[in-house]
Amino acid sequence: MSFGKMSSFIDIISAEPVKDADGFINHGDTVLASVRTYFEQKNSTEKWRNMAQSDEVNALFRLRTIPGIELNTRHVIVCEGKRYNIYSVENVKVRGIYLEVLAVSTDG
């Protein structure tokens, strides 16, 4: 995956409550990382038809792994002003270099 294909920028967000240094709990979105990614919306190609994940999945993100962040289904992705709930995260070829994320748009 080259940087030329990774032309979209995303924010990876945690919506879980976080305790600050003073011991107060902050509710709301916390941006964990802003990274470049390859972004593809669902279309009628054979690749999407063969994905047996779910009919509701409508976005694919490919990004480099982020040191110190374990991406999971509790995180949210914001891309081009839309929010996406993560459906699944897969380590591409089990090398630990790239992640493939299938997501569902929450903005109808």
Side-chain angles (χ1 to χ4, degrees):
M1 183 74 47
S2 67
F3 274 127
K5 290 189 176 188
M6 295 179 140
S7 58
S8 297
F9 288 92
I10 63 168
D11 290 330
I12 298 172
I13 294 176
S14 173
E16 297 176 356
V18 176
K19 194 179 285 190
D20 63 10
D22 296 327
F24 294 103
I25 296 176
N26 295 325
H27 297 281
D29 296 342
T30 304
V31 177
L32 301 176
S34 295
V35 296
R36 291 171 66 126
T37 186
Y38 170 77
F39 170 60
E40 181 180 320
Q41 290 204 338
K42 186 175 184 177
N43 51 41
S44 60
T45 61
E46 185 176 341
K47 179 177 94 173
W48 278 95
R49 285 192 301 265
N50 289 337
M51 285 188 194
Q53 295 285 336
S54 172
D55 289 337
E56 62 189 30
V57 171
N58 57 11
L60 167 77
F61 297 93
R62 286 194 189 110
L63 59 137
R64 291 186 179 205
T65 56
I66 305 164
I69 296 177
E70 184 70 32
L71 199 58
N72 57 44
T73 56
R74 293 188 315 261
H75 295 118
V76 176
I77 293 176
V78 175
C79 179
E80 299 174 358
K82 289 186 177 180
R83 292 176 70 95
Y84 295 89
N85 289 330
I86 296 176
Y87 184 82
S88 69
V89 178
E90 181 182 345
N91 185 348
V92 177
K93 296 185 181 177
V94 193
R95 292 185 178 172
I97 300 172
Y98 295 103
L99 298 174
E100 185 173 87
V101 178
L102 295 175
V104 179
S105 174
T106 60
D107 298 336

